[in-house]
Amino acid sequence: MQPELSIVMPCLNESRTLAACIKKALVFLKDYDVAGEIIVADNGSTDSSVEIARSMNATVVKVEQRGYGEALAAGIEAAKGRYVIMGDSDNSYDFSALSPFLEKLRQGYDLVMGNRFRGGIVPGAMPRLHRYFGNPFLTAIGRLFFSCKECGDFYCGLRGFRREAVRALDLQSTGMEFALEMVVKAQMHSLRITEVPITLYPDGRDRASHLRRYRDGWRSLRFYLLMSPRWFFGIPGLTLLVGGVVVSSILLAGPISVMSITFDYHTLMYSTSAIVLGYQSILLFIFAELMAVETGLHPPNTRFRLLRERRTLEHCVLIGLALILVGVVLGISAARQWSLVGFGTLRPALTIRFVTCSVLFLLLGGQTLLGGFYFGLLNLIGERKTQQRTLRRVQVEVRGDS
C-alpha cells in the first residue's frame, strides 16, 4: 500500500540524536494511525548514523553530493508518500507532534511551514542574535520581496508539503538556500501556503552546528536579491531614472539656487549620469526576469510577453537609432554654437547643456541597440527550447502509437 506520508530527515553525522528523531516519528505514525515511511537522506556520515537508521527500519538514501539541498532533494525524490514532512535530525524538532502539519495538508494546502516564533523557542535553542535580529530581519525581507505574508519564519527546518507540488517547482539549490527556494517558488507559483506553530528545542549535538552565522546570512540575502530582480535592479533603477529626469529637466532651463547654494551644469552632469545608470538597471531587470523564466527559476508570466517576441530586436534597433539621432542633432547644435563664435571661447553654461544632453541620448541609444540584440539572443534560446519540447512531445506520441 502506498504510504500517505513520508518523513524525510537529512543527516550528516547525527548518531547522537537520529535514533530519538526516528523513534518520535514512529510514535506519531502509530498514535495517529498514519500509513507512512521514514527516510534518512545520509549526506556522507562517517559515524554510525546509517546503521542506526537501518536498525530502526528507516529507509536510507545515500547522497554522494554534499549539501543540505542535495540531501533533501534526494530524500524527497525517494519519497513514496503523497505528503512529505521534512525536518532536521538533530532533535531540535519534535517528530511526534506532526499532526498539525498533516491536518493542514489534508485540508488542501500545498506547503505548511512551521513557525518557531509563534510556538515557542526553548532557552538555549537559538542564539540571541538569530532570534532577535538575523531570522526576523531576513524573514521580513523575504516577505517584502516576494509578498509571502502567510509565512512568518522562512528558516524553519520543519515543514510539510504535497510532494508533487514541490517536485513541480524544480528546486535547484544544493545548499542551505534549498529551504528558501522552496518558500519563494511556492509563492511565485501561487501554491496554497499556511503555517502552524511549533516548538524549537536545543539540539542534541556534541559539536558545532553546520551553519555559519555571517556566511549563511549573506548567502540568504544574496539569494533573495538574485531571485527578485525587481528589488535588485528594477526599483533602484526606476528611482535613479525618475530622479535623474526630474533634476535634469529643472536644470536644463538654467541654474537654480536653493538658499545660498547654486546648482548648475555640474549637477546636471550627475543627474544625467543617474538617468544612464537607472536605464541600464531597468534593462538588466528585464534581462534577469526573462533569463529567470527561461532557466526555470521563475514561472512563466505575461508581463514581458512583448519582449519575448522575435520582432523585439527590430523595435529596439529603431528606438536606439532614434535616440542616437537626437544625440547627433544636439551635438550638431553644440558645434553650431561654437562656430558662431569662430570656434573660440564659448559660454560653458549653455554649451555644456547641449553637449551633456547629446552624450546622454547617444548613450541611451547605444544601450537600447545592445539591449535589443540581447533580447534577440534570449528569444532565440526560448524558441530553441520550445522546439525541443515540441519534438520530445511528438516522439512520445509516436512511441505511444507504436
Side-chain angles (χ1 to χ4, degrees), residues 96-329:
S96 66
L98 302 181
S99 58
F101 290 91
L102 188 56
E103 288 174 7
K104 293 293 185 181
L105 291 170
R106 286 171 172 172
Q107 291 172 16
Y109 288 97
D110 298 302
L111 175 62
V112 183
M113 296 289 298
N115 189 320
R116 298 164 293 182
F117 297 95
R118 286 179 52 195
I121 300 174
V122 174
M126 183 184 294
R128 287 181 176 273
L129 184 63
H130 295 189
R131 180 174 182 177
Y132 296 108
F133 175 71
N135 204 310
F137 173 71
L138 291 171
T139 293
I141 292 178
R143 286 163 60 92
L144 174 65
F145 280 18
F146 305 102
S147 302
C148 189
K149 309 303 182 185
E150 298 83 1
C151 181
D153 186 3
F154 270 50
Y155 293 84
C156 183
L158 186 62
R159 59 186 70 180
F161 48 86
R162 191 166 56 84
R163 182 172 63 95
E164 291 305 318
V166 167
R167 288 184 64 186
L169 298 179
D170 188 25
L171 304 179
Q172 301 174 24
S173 298
T174 60
M176 53 82 64
E177 296 92 344
F178 183 90
L180 295 178
E181 185 181 357
M182 182 185 296
V183 181
V184 169
K185 280 194 169 182
Q187 178 66 23
M188 287 181 171
H189 285 76
S190 301
L191 299 188
R192 292 189 67 195
I193 305 173
T194 189
E195 64 178 14
V196 295
I198 67 164
T199 302
L200 180 69
Y201 300 90
D203 64 60
R205 299 188 181 103
D206 59 348
R207 53 171 174 76
S209 170
H210 296 303
L211 295 176
R212 296 294 180 267
R213 178 179 300 170
Y214 299 108
R215 182 199 66 180
D216 291 338
W218 161 242
R219 286 173 62 181
S220 295
L221 183 58
R222 180 184 64 182
F223 176 81
Y224 287 149
L225 292 171
L226 294 178
M227 284 293 290
S228 181
R230 179 183 59 172
W231 284 93
F232 191 45
F233 294 118
I235 292 177
L238 184 62
T239 302
L240 283 171
L241 181 63
V242 172
V245 169
V246 170
V247 174
S248 298
S249 300
I250 294 173
L251 292 175
L252 277 177
I256 62 170
S257 296
V258 179
M259 299 174 60
S260 60
I261 303 174
T262 299
F263 298 95
D264 202 349
Y265 57 85
H266 311 85
T267 307
L268 177 63
M269 296 178 68
Y270 283 103
S271 62
T272 53
S273 297
I275 294 175
V276 173
L277 185 58
Y279 186 70
Q280 181 67 58
S281 186
I282 290 174
L283 284 178
L284 289 173
F285 158 62
I286 300 172
F287 294 157
E289 282 280 0
L290 293 178
M291 184 60 73
V293 170
E294 294 298 342
T295 56
L297 286 175
H298 288 186
N301 58 65
T302 58
R303 287 184 298 169
F304 304 108
R305 182 175 57 190
L306 293 177
L307 296 175
R308 300 181 70 186
E309 297 178 359
R310 175 178 285 274
R311 61 179 179 272
T312 299
L313 170 58
E314 287 75 12
H315 291 163
C316 288
V317 169
L318 292 175
I319 295 172
L321 291 176
L323 291 171
I324 290 174
L325 179 61
V326 173
V328 170
V329 171

